[in-house]
Amino acid sequence: MTEKKNIAIMGAGLVGSLLSLYLAKRGHKVDLYERRPDLRKLGAFGGRSINLALSDRGWRALRGIGIEEQVRKVAIPMYGRMMHDEQGNLTYQPYGKEGQAIYSVSRAGLNVALMDISEPDPNITYHFNRQLLNLDLHTNEAEMRNTETGEVEKLQSQLLFGADGAFSMVRNAMQKTDRYNYSQSYLEYGYKELTIPAAEGGGWLLEKHALHIWPRGNYMMIALPNIDGSFTCTLFFPYEGALSFESIKTDTELLNFFLEAFPDAVPLMPDLAEDYFSNPIGSLVTVKCFPWSYQDKALLIGDACHAVVPFYGQGMNAGFEDITVLDQMLENFDGDWEKLFKAFERKRKPDADAIADLAVMNFIEMRDKVADPRFLLRKKIEARINQQYPDKWIPLYTMVTFTDLPYSYALETGRLQDEIMKKVMKHIQTVEDFDKPEVQQLLEEQIIYKEKLKKHTEAQGRG
Ligand SMILES: Cc1cc2nc3c(=O)[nH]c(=O)nc-3n(C[C@H](O)[C@H](O)[C@H](O)COP(=O)(O)OP(=O)(O)OC[C@H]3O[C@@H](n4cnc5c(N)ncnc54)[C@H](O)[C@@H]3O)c2cc1C
Ligand SMILES: NC(=O)C1=CN([C@@H]2O[C@H](COP(=O)(O)OP(=O)(O)OC[C@H]3O[C@@H](n4cnc5c(N)ncnc54)[C@H](OP(=O)(O)O)[C@@H]3O)[C@@H](O)[C@H]2O)C=CC1
Ligand SMILES: Nc1ccccc1C(=O)C[C@H](N)C(=O)O
């Protein structure tokens, strides 16, 4: 039996709260330190409703701790994308096969559910209003500020997890160690959250089982449904330039821009100007770093070691998958934490890098390509290929969203499939063209080639 540890988790966000349950399940004593106040005492979570898309990787981690069904009750399935053009015309693209969906959940609601389920565990203690200021990695001595009193306290733990998000202080401490690799890259875009309220008397003003997109080439707005009937909209917009956060300064400029760009949304957004001018602009950053651990003392997890831009809706899902992977490794654990941390970071780093790249690629798909009929035709053709070769061809979006195939495998296979799709699409003008003998023959050849390449790569990997 391995020794039970006193573990400190910095950050009681989505990943920290879920991680506490997995560690306590194995008998460890867990203390969580969160710089914000207890969300549950803020009443309606500060008034704003911000949601996230939860998909298979996230569900798997919730299932592992027995909380899947509870979350499903308040999750809204979104079966596809609903595109809105400049005239208000709608086009629909399913995410996967019938029944496959990504689920809109309230960020605060999920965090609260995780806290509510973990707090009664005698091995788990939450400490709110405690901000990590400094960490000495050699001793694991942390300097914590009580944000209510301003007092600074010292804290000692045997093991420490950094689940403190994209701007992690635990990572900050690691960055000061020898030969530490770190990069951060900001997009020239920011985001602003806006609202479409519920219909009078209740209900949703747009189709509730879809993720809505207003793709406009250089920028876009999206909307995800909430259970109270409202939608949270997010405008992804350049910081600077002719049409940008910088260029829109007055209510009139804002309304004129929205009437031109999103005319069908304007009548649904009575608080547009108030939301727009009072809500902050969020920045969009990719953070890559390595290693993720320090000796047998500390490990980063979630956004703290791999913050990705939100366009694939995978940031939290990837963080939750970190926990599933770590838990699998703990199953055969021999008590050597340093070895475990090293194995974990080696396994997850290529996948974290892959989802970071995929997320940037999906921004271009969402803001631009989805408005192109050729792109939508291509998606239909890919669905037909998947039907015809179910075990040889899985669309990239499906691999990322509806399977637990490693993100790095999905990225690599997706690139190969993209090459093949380009060749196939040269022969296709309508869905019916898919059945033409020349298309079928080309596809057959390409699938054989792809399978050979896969076997070759696998053999190399083994060698
Ligand atoms: C606009 C937007 C949309 C997104 N949409 C999706 C989506 O649809 N699907 C998806 O899977 N992901 C999405 N994400 C990503 C997702 O929000 C993150 O991946 C996820 O929140 C990461 O969880 P985490 O617990 O690692 O970090 P966080 O949720 O940031 O939690 C970190 C916690 O640590 C606390 N903390 C920070 N510093 C300190 C400190 N010094 N001391 C103590 N505590 C500290 C913070 O207060 C916070 O509570 C989106 C992100 C953005 C910005
Ligand atoms: N990958 C991405 O592009 C982004 C990811 N996220 C992730 O979303 C989750 C929650 O988002 P949310 O609650 O809105 O988080 P916030 O945007 O509120 O960020 C939390 C805190 O981080 C600090 N912070 C914010 N932006 C920066 C910055 N550019 N540089 C340094 N510090 C910054 C701020 O602290 P202070 O006030 O003390 O300065 C802020 O209060 C987090 O996981 C975060 O990791 C959030 C934004 C972008
Ligand atoms: N949750 C998000 C937040 C911001 C931007 C995109 C999403 C998505 O989920 C996009 C979805 N995966 C899509 O490809 O249509």
Side-chain angles (χ1 to χ4, degrees):
M1 224 179 67
T2 53
E3 187 197 342
K4 305 301 174 213
K5 295 278 189 184
N6 285 327
I7 298 179
I9 299 179
M10 293 298 155
L14 299 168
V15 172
S17 308
L18 182 63
L19 177 65
S20 71
L21 278 159
Y22 273 88
L23 293 173
K25 179 184 82 174
R26 294 189 180 275
H28 301 292
K29 186 180 169 308
V30 184
D31 285 275
L32 290 121
Y33 298 88
E34 168 56 46
R35 71 176 211 166
R36 291 185 179 167
D38 187 343
L39 264 178
R40 296 164 294 183
K41 297 195 177 133
L42 292 181
F45 318 130
R48 292 180 65 196
S49 181
I50 296 185
N51 46 31
L52 293 152
L54 178 60
S55 50
D56 279 34
R57 294 170 205 264
W59 284 120
R60 199 163 293 116
L62 294 176
R63 193 175 311 136
I65 216 74
I67 161 180
E68 181 188 10
E69 286 317 313
Q70 191 179 327
V71 179
R72 274 206 194 269
K73 286 189 194 126
V74 287
I76 303 178
M78 300 178 287
Y79 295 100
R81 296 168 172 162
M82 187 70 85
M83 272 71 73
H84 299 237
D85 75 9
E86 276 99 337
Q87 283 73 47
N89 301 312
L90 302 180
T91 324
Y92 180 74
Q93 182 221 321
Y95 279 128
K97 293 184 189 152
E98 216 185 313
Q100 281 182 323
I102 60 177
Y103 289 77
S104 180
V105 292
S106 149
R107 172 195 285 276
L110 180 57
N111 213 150
V112 163
L114 290 169
M115 287 172 178
D116 280 346
I117 191 171
S118 51
E119 204 169 38
D121 188 314
N123 279 328
I124 298 177
T125 313
Y126 279 85
H127 307 264
F128 294 101
N129 304 301
R130 296 291 185 283
Q131 179 183 11
L132 172 68
L133 295 180
N134 265 308
L135 172 65
D136 182 340
L137 283 164
H138 305 288
T139 58
N140 257 2
E141 190 177 80
E143 219 175 86
M144 307 297 303
R145 191 171 82 97
N146 180 325
T147 56
E148 285 177 311
T149 63
E151 250 172 73
V152 176
E153 307 145 6
K154 300 268 190 207
L155 179 107
Q156 187 68 51
S157 59
Q158 290 177 300
L159 270 182
L160 187 139
F161 284 84
D164 50 347
F167 310 103
S168 165
M169 280 308 291
V170 179
R171 186 185 67 226
N172 201 283
M174 286 191 192
Q175 279 173 246
K176 292 172 194 147
T177 60
D178 188 31
R179 292 184 296 124
Y180 197 81
N181 290 306
Y182 174 76
S183 74
Q184 65 178 31
S185 153
Y186 280 89
L187 294 189
E188 309 269 297
Y189 291 78
Y191 70 91
K192 197 179 271 279
E193 274 137 355
L194 306 165
T195 309
I196 293 180
E200 235 171 273
W204 289 263
L205 288 170
L206 296 171
E207 166 57 52
K208 82 174 208 202
H209 289 302
L211 188 151
H212 294 262
I213 312 178
W214 288 258
R216 296 295 178 261
N218 188 37
Y219 58 91
M220 69 172 181
M221 183 166 78
I222 64 167
L224 274 74
N226 296 310
I227 44 168
D228 65 1
S230 67
F231 283 82
T232 303
C233 306
T234 313
L235 172 66
F236 294 95
F237 207 34
Y239 275 103
E240 285 152 22
L243 272 182
S244 66
F245 283 123
E246 186 194 51
S247 74
I248 291 175
K249 296 203 180 71
T250 64
D251 285 18
T252 313
E253 282 167 354
L254 177 71
L255 189 62
N256 286 343
F257 164 62
F258 262 70
L259 281 170
E260 183 107 337
F262 315 119
D264 60 332
V266 174
L268 313 179
M269 302 174 93
D271 302 324
L272 173 62
E274 200 188 318
D275 281 352
Y276 186 92
F277 290 109
S278 56
N279 292 346
I281 303 173
S283 54
L284 295 162
V285 69
T286 302
V287 174
K288 292 183 178 174
C289 62
F290 202 76
W292 293 355
S293 64
Y294 186 80
Q295 297 173 356
D296 60 350
K297 297 200 167 57
L299 179 70
L300 300 174
I301 193 156
D303 270 26
C305 48
H306 50 70
V308 303
V309 292
F311 305 107
Y312 229 114
Q314 283 294 315
M316 166 193 63
N317 288 289
F320 281 6
E321 190 173 58
D322 285 349
I323 300 175
T324 305
V325 170
L326 188 72
D327 189 59
Q328 278 159 2
M329 290 183 167
L330 280 168
E331 199 57 49
N332 303 309
F333 183 47
D334 63 0
D336 185 340
W337 287 93
E338 183 165 4
K339 196 166 95 188
L340 175 87
F341 290 170
K342 291 269 168 280
F344 173 76
E345 67 191 17
R346 229 180 4 255
K347 163 106 183 77
R348 285 302 278 167
K349 173 67 174 162
D351 294 326
D353 286 348
I355 192 58
D357 295 349
L358 285 162
V360 174
M361 284 156 58
N362 211 46
F363 186 24
I364 303 163
E365 175 160 324
M366 289 184 76
R367 70 171 202 244
D368 198 7
K369 291 189 193 162
V370 293
D372 178 356
R374 282 289 297 171
F375 174 82
L376 297 178
L377 174 63
R378 185 184 143 138
K379 285 274 178 192
K380 286 186 186 148
I381 296 296
E382 236 201 312
R384 292 285 305 272
I385 300 178
N386 176 227
Q387 245 174 23
Q388 193 164 315
Y389 299 98
D391 50 348
K392 295 196 175 73
W393 187 293
I394 308 174
L396 174 60
Y397 194 86
T398 299
M399 284 191 273
V400 170
T401 312
F402 302 124
T403 76
D404 61 356
L405 290 167
Y407 288 127
S408 51
Y409 173 86
L411 176 63
E412 200 185 310
T413 310
R415 282 198 176 123
L416 187 59
Q417 290 180 174
D418 183 47
E419 291 305 313
I420 298 176
M421 283 310 292
K422 281 183 190 145
K423 289 182 194 154
V424 170
M425 288 306 289
K426 281 192 186 142
H427 303 266
I428 287 186
Q429 297 309 320
T430 65
V431 180
E432 288 70 40
D433 289 345
F434 180 69
D435 296 315
K436 281 185 181 167
E438 67 265 30
V439 172
Q440 285 294 318
Q441 196 189 332
L442 173 66
L443 192 56
E444 182 78 43
E445 284 163 18
Q446 292 293 321
I447 297 267
I448 292 169
Y449 160 74
K450 178 172 169 287
E451 287 298 297
K452 271 191 192 156
L453 207 66
K454 189 175 151 196
K455 285 209 178 86
H456 178 71
T457 317
E458 280 169 2
Q460 272 191 331
R462 276 197 301 275

